[in-house]
């Protein structure tokens, strides 16, 4: 299947003179390593899946050893390398990654090979779709309830939704009750925050649920 490309409302507040919409895309799914081995074995008549699995295992162990010895390792499409991170107030401060509170650590980085990237850009199979394809599951990280007017503000990521689909949006459920409480109106909507006014709510334990297409997220709260 080709990569799906569509447009999305531009919610980037840092954009200067921003255009109303952005192009976004959604991949068809994730191919696990096991599935990749199956696909590679099916495409090759001389190498078995067991051969590929053994090679991957040896390659992984060798790569781990070389990365930990400070080498940059070349792979198809990317170079892998370890990077030291942390801060110090002066040159005398030691680097102590084994001390958790020091803030010193190592992280694995991947550097995309430009030649391979250029080749892939020219060969991408894609199709334009006119409906929204929200590609990430919503995440609610914070909820605030204003009891004076039953307004709820949720903050997080990927909270934007296609209003033309009735199931999409923010709703509430009282714990132990399957009925959904829909907002009377939305005051504010963007990818990082939704503010909505609900009808008067009785005291109890609730779940706030935000949905876009087939992706949902629940957040418990009490009144």
């Amino acid at each position: 299947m080709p990569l799906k490309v569509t447009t999305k409302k531009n919610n980037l507040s840092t954009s200067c003179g921003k255009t109303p919409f952005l192009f976004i895309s959604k991949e068809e799914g994730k191919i696990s390593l096991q599935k990749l081995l199956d696909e590679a074995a099916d495409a090759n008549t001389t190498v078995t899946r067991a051969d590929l699995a053994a090679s991957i295992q040896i390659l992984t162990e060798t790569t781990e050893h070389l990365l930990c010895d400070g080498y940059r390792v070349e792979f198809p499409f990317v170079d892998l390398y370890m990077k030291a991170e942390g801060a110090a107030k002066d040159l005398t401060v030691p680097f102590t990654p084994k001390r958790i509170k020091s803030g010193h650590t190592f992280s694995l980085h991947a550097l995309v090979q430009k030649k391979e990237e250029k080749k892939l850009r020219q060969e991408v199979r894609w199709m334009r779709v006119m409906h929204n394809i929200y590609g990430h599951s919503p995440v609610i990280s914070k909820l605030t309830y204003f009891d004076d007017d039953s307004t709820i503000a949720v903050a997080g990521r990927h909270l934007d939704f296609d209003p033309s689909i009735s199931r999409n949006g923010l709703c509430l459920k009282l714990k132990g009750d399957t009925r959904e409480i829909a907002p009377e109106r939305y005051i504010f909507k963007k990818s990082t925050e939704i503010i909505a006014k609900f009808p008067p709510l009785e005291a109890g334990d609730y779940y706030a649920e935000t949905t876009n297409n087939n992706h949902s997220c629940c957040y418990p709260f009490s009144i």
Side-chain angles (χ1 to χ4, degrees):
M1 296 292 292
L3 187 70
K4 292 184 175 67
V5 178
T6 190
T7 52
K8 176 185 176 182
K9 184 177 179 181
N10 185 0
N11 292 316
L12 298 177
S13 59
T14 57
S15 297
C16 296
K18 66 180 183 182
T19 53
F21 295 93
L22 299 174
F23 283 109
I24 62 169
S25 61
K26 181 184 178 183
E27 65 276 7
E28 283 300 307
K30 179 180 177 179
I31 299 295
S32 68
L33 177 58
Q34 301 305 317
K35 178 64 175 177
L36 179 62
L37 292 174
D38 291 338
E39 293 281 340
D42 290 342
N44 196 306
T45 57
T46 60
V47 180
T48 67
R49 187 186 187 283
D51 293 333
L52 291 169
S55 299
I56 289 290
Q57 181 64 30
I58 295 171
L59 186 62
T60 300
E61 293 175 355
T62 304
T63 300
E64 289 175 350
H65 175 75
L66 293 171
L67 288 171
C68 290
D69 274 351
Y71 288 93
R72 179 174 296 213
V73 182
E74 180 183 335
F75 269 78
F77 312 118
V78 296
D79 290 351
L80 298 179
Y81 62 99
M82 299 300 296
K83 185 177 179 181
E85 296 180 351
K89 62 181 180 180
D90 56 53
L91 295 176
T92 65
V93 175
F95 183 67
T96 55
K98 292 185 179 181
R99 290 177 52 192
I100 297 176
K101 294 184 179 180
S102 70
H104 303 166
T105 188
F106 295 100
S107 60
L108 178 63
H109 286 250
L111 180 66
V112 175
Q113 297 171 6
K114 295 300 181 182
K115 183 178 179 180
E116 292 294 334
E117 181 185 25
K118 180 180 179 181
K119 179 176 181 291
L120 290 173
R121 285 203 308 265
Q122 295 171 343
E123 297 180 1
V124 172
R125 291 176 292 278
W126 61 277
M127 63 180 292
R128 178 76 182 271
V129 294
M130 300 311 296
H131 60 278
N132 290 319
I133 50 169
Y134 298 93
H136 301 278
S137 297
V139 176
I140 298 176
S141 57
K142 181 181 179 182
L143 183 146
T144 305
Y145 172 66
F146 302 93
D147 57 2
D148 55 339
D149 62 353
S150 294
T151 296
I152 286 179
V154 294
R157 305 188 306 276
H158 315 306
L159 299 177
D160 47 344
F161 58 90
D162 183 353
S164 66
I165 300 177
S166 60
R167 178 125 179 21
N168 285 354
L170 180 67
C171 72
L172 305 180
K173 292 181 181 178
L174 185 63
K175 190 174 182 180
D177 192 336
T178 59
R179 290 176 298 176
E180 295 184 351
I181 305 172
E184 293 180 343
R185 63 187 177 91
Y186 288 99
I187 301 171
F188 186 77
K189 293 184 296 181
K190 68 176 185 177
S191 61
T192 56
E193 186 178 20
I194 295 177
I195 302 176
K197 186 180 184 310
F198 285 84
L201 302 173
E202 61 182 89
D205 296 325
Y206 288 83
Y207 291 98
E209 182 179 274
T210 181
T211 302
N212 57 48
N213 293 349
N214 295 320
H215 304 290
S216 298
C217 174
C218 289
Y219 191 96
F221 71 102
S222 299
I223 298 176

